[in-house]
Amino acid sequence: MHTYHHGDLRAALLDAAAGILQEKGIEGFSLRECARRAGTSHAAPAHHFGDAQGLLSEFAASGFERMVAMMRGARTQAGPDAWEQLRATGRAYIDFALENRAAFQLMFRADRLDQGRPRLAQASAAAFDELRTALAALHGGRAPAPQLMLAWSAVHGFATLLLEHAADGMRQGQDMQAFSREMGDALLAQLKHSLAG
Amino acid sequence: MHTYHHGDLRAALLDAAAGILQEKGIEGFSLRECARRAGTSHAAPAHHFGDAQGLLSEFAASGFERMVAMMRGARTQAGPDAWEQLRATGRAYIDFALENRAAFQLMFRADRLDQGRPRLAQASAAAFDELRTALAALHGGRAPAPQLMLAWSAVHGFATLLLEHAADGMRQGQDMQAFSREMGDALLAQLKHSLAG
DNA sequence: TGTACATCAGTGAACGCGCGTTCACTGATGTAC
DNA sequence: TGTACATCAGTGAACGCGCGTTCACTGATGTAC
């Protein structure tokens, strides 16, 4: 039964956006297509999000929130060892990127997002805090900035290069998931020498 | 004196593209705007590049070529010490990204490029080879894959996070160039512990 | 319990815009004889 | 040295398209009395 009011058009629009981004990437995103997929008129999205940047910012915010949840979950399940916790956090960061390619790429496209939106600013800060917390545990206090920056850069760079197929030469045709597992673990183990000291 | 034939319209179009990308980013790029800036008719670019992907791919290729030149130049000027050579190469990678923001971002946007173009494929492979060569010198032979991946991920991730303003929280308002210098050096020094072993 | 009214979500037609592409053309250049 | 012709670079008008935005509207919901 179609009601005049959709009920949860907001959520439907965000779902539609996810679909478009997954299929076409961010270049192919438009409000009209989004409305079309959500089965509503093309002018409806403005009611909920203002413009495309608003909608994408909300979507990115929810991405950061899910990423935080994944990292936190992985860390708390990793046992008491501080290094294992950091490793689990890094893995979760990379896994999130691979499992949510479109969202991850959008989350770091500053030109498409409005960082002024409180929910987005808060969610991205929370994600960063997860990394900082995990690294701080290694030191029994605050981690030095260079170590934090290195750890973040390493996991972020690895995920980015994988997603943009820049590392296909190293992957040598191996399954992407498997390569990420193996090389990611090796990379984190390698990184340990830098962070433990 | 305007001649009917431009003389070097191809180069003029690439220059125009550089301007657009610098000012508006890749989202704002269009063939028509590019032709407009080059002072030619909107149908002319097709003659030289086919379509937008063709033009952008050539531009990205020249970006990789300049990046390779910078890395190689830095390495050969770094003296005989293998670690100093690697450090100089990493610095050059980061410096190129900051000084050529638009080009760098385009160079790693797989969806906008045609990797099948020989010049692009060759230039990006050459850039990767620079890193591999620099790292191999540390080992007196081929560097293990995880170490190569870590070094690449670290410099690439750092540059990316900087450019997308994701690391603004760590920068704390400090001048971007200066932050890149200091934090970049600290990061590379930190990385040394992982790679030397 | 019923009525009036304000508010809000969503509609659909209309607008102007910049885009990529096509196409018949024109002017310049190079080559054959 | 001159002429004819092929080739190539660039022109400009025309096309159809999807887009974001605007606007007067309509239907549903909630609240005041």
Side-chain angles (χ1 to χ4, degrees):
Chain A
M1 241 1 63
H2 284 241
T3 57
Y4 189 88
H5 281 177
H6 184 284
D8 202 357
L9 183 51
R10 184 190 162 86
L13 286 167
L14 288 172
D15 276 358
I20 296 172
L21 292 173
Q22 204 73 12
E23 290 172 29
K24 309 190 185 183
I26 196 171
E27 305 288 338
F29 179 83
S30 79
L31 278 183
R32 283 181 103 110
E33 165 92 12
C34 200
R36 221 175 287 133
R37 292 204 186 200
T40 189
S41 72
H42 58 261
H47 243 276
H48 291 272
F49 301 101
D51 55 14
Q53 183 168 267
L55 194 156
L56 292 175
S57 296
E58 288 300 304
F59 183 71
S62 86
F64 274 116
E65 288 163 6
R66 285 186 296 127
M67 191 188 197
V68 166
M70 270 186 66
M71 290 197 284
R72 191 164 302 168
R75 180 162 55 84
T76 56
Q77 285 195 350
D81 182 65
W83 167 250
E84 279 306 319
Q85 289 189 9
L86 178 58
R87 217 172 77 92
T89 303
R91 273 238 61 88
Y93 192 105
I94 295 167
D95 286 348
F96 175 86
L98 259 71
E99 292 165 16
N100 303 272
R101 179 192 171 98
F104 181 79
Q105 290 179 326
L106 173 63
M107 283 153 58
F108 292 93
R109 281 291 299 275
D111 56 324
R112 291 300 227 137
L113 303 176
D114 175 11
Q115 300 289 345
R117 298 220 161 201
R119 188 181 163 205
L120 175 56
Q122 193 174 330
S124 66
F128 179 63
D129 274 350
E130 270 304 310
L131 279 178
R132 187 163 53 198
T133 300
L135 197 52
L138 264 191
H139 293 265
R142 284 190 52 178
Q147 299 203 12
L148 183 48
M149 194 74 242
L150 173 59
W152 188 14
S153 296
V155 291
H156 187 80
F158 181 63
T160 302
L161 291 171
L162 238 58
L163 291 183
E164 292 296 351
H165 292 106
D168 281 5
M170 300 210 62
R171 188 150 61 87
Q172 297 283 18
Q174 187 185 7
D175 174 68
M176 190 122 152
Q177 218 76 18
F179 178 77
S180 163
R181 284 259 148 220
E182 290 177 27
M183 182 61 88
D185 281 349
L187 183 147
L188 288 167
Q190 193 70 44
L191 185 61
K192 183 177 182 180
H193 303 138
S194 287
L195 302 182
Chain B
M1 238 5 64
H2 285 240
T3 56
Y4 189 87
H5 281 177
H6 184 286
D8 202 356
L9 183 52
R10 184 191 162 86
L13 286 168
L14 288 172
D15 277 357
I20 297 172
L21 293 173
Q22 203 74 11
E23 290 172 28
K24 309 189 183 184
I26 197 171
E27 304 288 338
F29 179 83
S30 79
L31 277 183
R32 283 180 104 109
E33 164 94 12
C34 200
R36 221 174 286 132
R37 293 204 186 199
T40 189
S41 72
H42 58 262
H47 243 277
H48 292 273
F49 301 102
D51 55 13
Q53 183 167 267
L55 195 156
L56 292 174
S57 296
E58 287 300 304
F59 183 70
S62 86
F64 274 116
E65 287 164 5
R66 285 185 297 126
M67 190 188 199
V68 166
M70 270 185 66
M71 290 197 285
R72 191 165 302 168
R75 178 161 57 84
T76 56
Q77 285 194 350
D81 182 65
W83 168 251
E84 279 306 317
Q85 290 189 8
L86 179 57
R87 217 173 76 90
T89 302
R91 272 238 60 89
Y93 192 105
I94 295 168
D95 286 347
F96 175 85
L98 259 71
E99 293 166 15
N100 302 272
R101 179 192 171 98
F104 180 79
Q105 290 179 325
L106 174 63
M107 282 152 59
F108 292 94
R109 283 291 300 275
D111 55 326
R112 291 299 226 138
L113 303 176
D114 176 10
Q115 301 289 345
R117 298 218 162 203
R119 188 180 162 205
L120 175 56
Q122 192 173 331
S124 66
F128 179 63
D129 273 350
E130 271 304 310
L131 280 179
R132 187 164 52 197
T133 300
L135 197 51
L138 265 192
H139 293 265
R142 282 190 53 177
Q147 300 203 10
L148 183 49
M149 195 74 242
L150 173 58
W152 188 15
S153 297
V155 291
H156 187 81
F158 180 62
T160 301
L161 291 171
L162 239 57
L163 290 183
E164 291 296 351
H165 292 107
D168 282 4
M170 301 210 62
R171 188 150 61 85
Q172 296 282 18
Q174 188 185 7
D175 174 70
M176 191 123 153
Q177 219 75 19
F179 178 77
S180 163
R181 284 260 149 219
E182 290 177 26
M183 182 60 88
D185 281 350
L187 183 147
L188 289 165
Q190 193 70 44
L191 185 61
K192 184 177 181 180
H193 302 138
S194 287
L195 303 182

